[in-house]
Amino acid sequence: SQLIPQWFSDVRLEGKTAIVTGANVGIGKETAKDLAGRGKELISAGARVILACRDMARGEQAARDIMRELKGAKVVARHLDLADTKSICLFAENIYNNEKTLHFLINNAGVAMCPYATTVDGYEMQFGVNHLGHFFLTFLLLDLLKHSAPSRVINLSSLAHNMGKIQFDDLSGDRAYHPVRAYAQSKLANVLFTSELAKRTEGVMAYSVDPGMVNTEITRHLGRPLVAITKTIGFLLKTPAEGAYTSIYCTVTPESQLLTGGYYKSFVTFGPCFLGARIVMACRDLERAEEARTDIMEDTGNENVVIRKLDLSDTKSIRAFAEIINKEEKQVNILINNAGVMMCPYSKTTDGFEMQLGVNHLGNKTKCTGSERFIVIVKSITDNSLKASVSWLYPGHFLLTYLLLDLIKRSAPARIVVVASVAHTWTGLRLDDINSERSYDTMKAYGQSKLANVMFARSLAKQYRVSVFSLHPGVVQSDLWRHQHQCIQVAVKIFRIFTKTTLEGAQTTIYCAVESGLESQSGGYFSDCAPARCSRAASDDETAQKLWEISCNLLGITWQ
């Protein structure tokens, strides 16, 4: 546990009421102790905490332990057997009879990888306890949670949900039971339940969490060899107190910094659960887009992925795409300007613009992300770097942003992310030959288009007060090198060890799209998931304004 980063919050919870299931030991007990101690100076009574436990002797002992350690703590134990719906009903009845409010329901209890068994009501034990028990408990207490709004439901899931698949034709595991598969299914059910609860309920925020690898009693059903290994590497695992961090984080962090329906892990690393995201893939090559769509659905389990035609070298196509988005989508929360062309031979777009300036700056397209409240438009998803960003949270330019800006502003808080390049430092803007008709150099034309990206992000952030970021993804192994001389392509392959994979190249894009607290740095330029210094030319506000006016004139638009 020496390797686990520490986390602290001084949020106070006096006057609040919390229920923590499975709170007699481990993560649940540590969560309850933290909430109970969030009073003045974090040493006096905080929230009133109800320990919902199957073993009342251990539950009452846990309550005494917490109250002995925290002066004035308000902690009580109540009987709850999640494997018995009658017990759940009696527990809920007791809560309604004795509690006026309920602000936090932390569904922490669980069983892991146990031999086949069934609940009192005949359900497979892991699915019955980990999912159905908490599902029913939340249902019964939902009116009290709504009455106490704003309130929260935190469901403890696990990284194992990634391995899970809901066996709708064999939920009881009668046909083929495997303890690991059953556990993964129950943890996936936790994530899905959280996502649906967030969609269906007003005033009650819902979060699913992965506590990490924690040294607790939940490993008791593992075979002896695995138990022995767990004990041997115990020093590398989280302690129960550290495992409680993410649950506590989702309990006390201001709602404005969290995403209801979201999936959280490591308390500071946040990713909205991909299973709730709607992705609109905007692509020129529909055949490759379909291949990418299939990859995304297989990798993430998200079937809410659609394809829309978009040719960034044709303003008619861009306008048609934007018209569809404005008509069909209720909101666009993150617009990621990723598509581009790099150092190609001289050519022009359908509208007569130099290809790199026309695609990379004037007509590039975007992406936005989220869970059912969020719409994800993915530009050039056939590029592997965008595939990578979409599978984690789900990932042009001037004209498309102009056409979608009203929708983006209505979806606030929203972000626009512009993928530029360090190549913006290679040159300045040639305002007297912006279309490169007098002379054309592939590298300078590319550098000019990337410089335009950075300037556009800065100007947009200043003029419209939306959160906008430009970034350098790094030197990435992608199809962008296809127009280079064969010698350069060979060199790139030889030195690929020093370049980024598409997954690594997507990280700064993802960071700018989802990292909390970046609003104050709107208009900034980022590299390697951190603020970076752009070129002096990119910081020239007077030239940026001229570029803005020229861009509007070329496209025949007027920004209001």
Side-chain angles (χ1 to χ4, degrees), residues 60-364:
E60 290 172 346
Q61 182 59 53
R64 289 192 293 270
D65 291 344
I66 295 172
M67 289 188 289
R68 182 171 58 251
E69 188 171 341
L70 301 173
K71 181 180 179 181
K74 301 174 183 178
V75 183
V76 296
R78 295 284 184 267
H79 181 260
L80 173 66
D81 184 352
L82 289 165
D84 184 352
T85 54
K86 290 183 180 179
S87 174
I88 298 172
C89 288
L90 290 173
F91 174 83
E93 182 179 4
N94 180 279
I95 294 300
Y96 277 105
N97 290 337
N98 293 282
E99 306 299 331
K100 295 181 179 180
T101 58
L102 176 59
H103 302 94
F104 309 110
L105 173 59
I106 302 177
N107 293 322
N108 167 86
V111 61
M113 294 170 274
C114 61
Y116 182 78
T118 59
T119 67
V120 173
D121 304 279
Y123 305 118
E124 185 275 313
M125 185 63 71
Q126 296 190 78
F127 189 76
V129 170
N130 297 353
H131 171 60
L132 286 179
H134 284 129
F135 184 92
F136 189 40
L137 177 64
T138 305
F139 167 76
L140 294 175
L141 297 177
L142 196 56
D143 285 344
L144 186 56
L145 286 162
K146 290 179 178 178
H147 172 74
S148 310
S151 54
R152 305 184 187 191
V153 175
I154 291 92
N155 294 316
L156 263 75
S157 180
S158 164
L159 183 65
H161 85 271
N162 285 311
M163 301 185 295
K165 183 178 181 180
I166 305 298
Q167 302 291 342
F168 289 105
D169 58 345
D170 189 28
L171 289 175
S172 62
D174 291 334
R175 298 179 189 171
Y177 178 78
H178 189 284
V180 175
R181 284 199 299 266
Y183 178 68
Q185 174 181 246
S186 71
K187 294 293 101 177
L188 175 58
N190 293 153
V191 175
L192 293 170
F193 168 45
T194 302
S195 178
E196 281 299 307
L197 182 63
K199 297 174 189 177
R200 297 167 182 261
T201 310
E202 294 289 337
V204 181
M205 311 295 282
Y207 313 101
S208 57
V209 303
D210 168 24
M213 296 292 292
V214 187
N215 197 357
T216 68
E217 291 184 2
I218 201 168
T219 60
R220 62 186 179 277
H221 293 296
L222 298 178
R224 287 186 179 181
L226 291 177
V227 171
I229 292 173
T230 300
K231 290 181 178 180
T232 302
I233 65 171
F235 70 97
L236 294 175
L237 304 179
K238 292 183 179 180
T239 65
E242 291 163 341
Y245 283 163
T246 310
S247 297
I248 299 166
Y249 174 81
C250 288
T251 302
V252 304
T253 299
E255 290 180 7
S256 61
Q257 298 178 27
L258 298 174
L259 171 65
T260 186
Y263 172 73
Y264 291 78
K265 59 181 179 179
S266 300
F267 67 84
V268 293
T269 303
F270 145 69
C273 180
F274 53 74
L275 290 169
R278 170 170 172 75
I279 305 174
V280 180
M281 297 171 52
C283 307
R284 178 175 55 85
D285 188 330
L286 297 183
E287 183 177 347
R288 293 186 68 193
E290 185 58 45
E291 294 176 358
R293 176 177 178 270
T294 300
D295 289 345
I296 292 169
M297 292 192 297
E298 290 180 352
D299 290 345
T300 67
N302 181 7
E303 296 184 356
N304 195 9
V305 182
V306 298
I307 298 171
R308 294 288 179 262
K309 173 74 174 181
L310 176 65
D311 184 347
L312 296 171
S313 65
D314 185 350
T315 56
K316 289 183 180 179
S317 175
I318 297 171
R319 291 178 185 277
F321 171 83
E323 182 178 359
I324 291 174
I325 297 301
N326 282 313
K327 181 179 179 180
E328 296 183 352
E329 309 298 342
K330 294 181 179 179
Q331 51 194 346
V332 169
N333 304 93
I334 303 177
L335 181 61
I336 300 182
N337 302 323
N338 169 83
V341 61
M342 176 179 172
M343 292 180 271
C344 60
Y346 185 79
S347 59
K348 291 185 177 182
T349 68
T350 302
D351 304 277
F353 306 127
E354 184 276 313
M355 185 62 72
Q356 296 189 79
L357 181 74
V359 171
N360 297 352
H361 169 58
L362 292 176
N364 217 337

Side-chain angles (χ1 to χ4, degrees), residues 369-390:
T369 168
S371 71
E372 174 102 331
R373 328 191 279 135
F374 286 80
I375 301 302
V376 181
I377 302 176
V378 183
K379 163 180 103 185
S380 281
I381 194 62
T382 51
D383 181 346
N384 287 331
S385 65
L386 257 289
K387 290 183 191 177
S389 56
V390 169

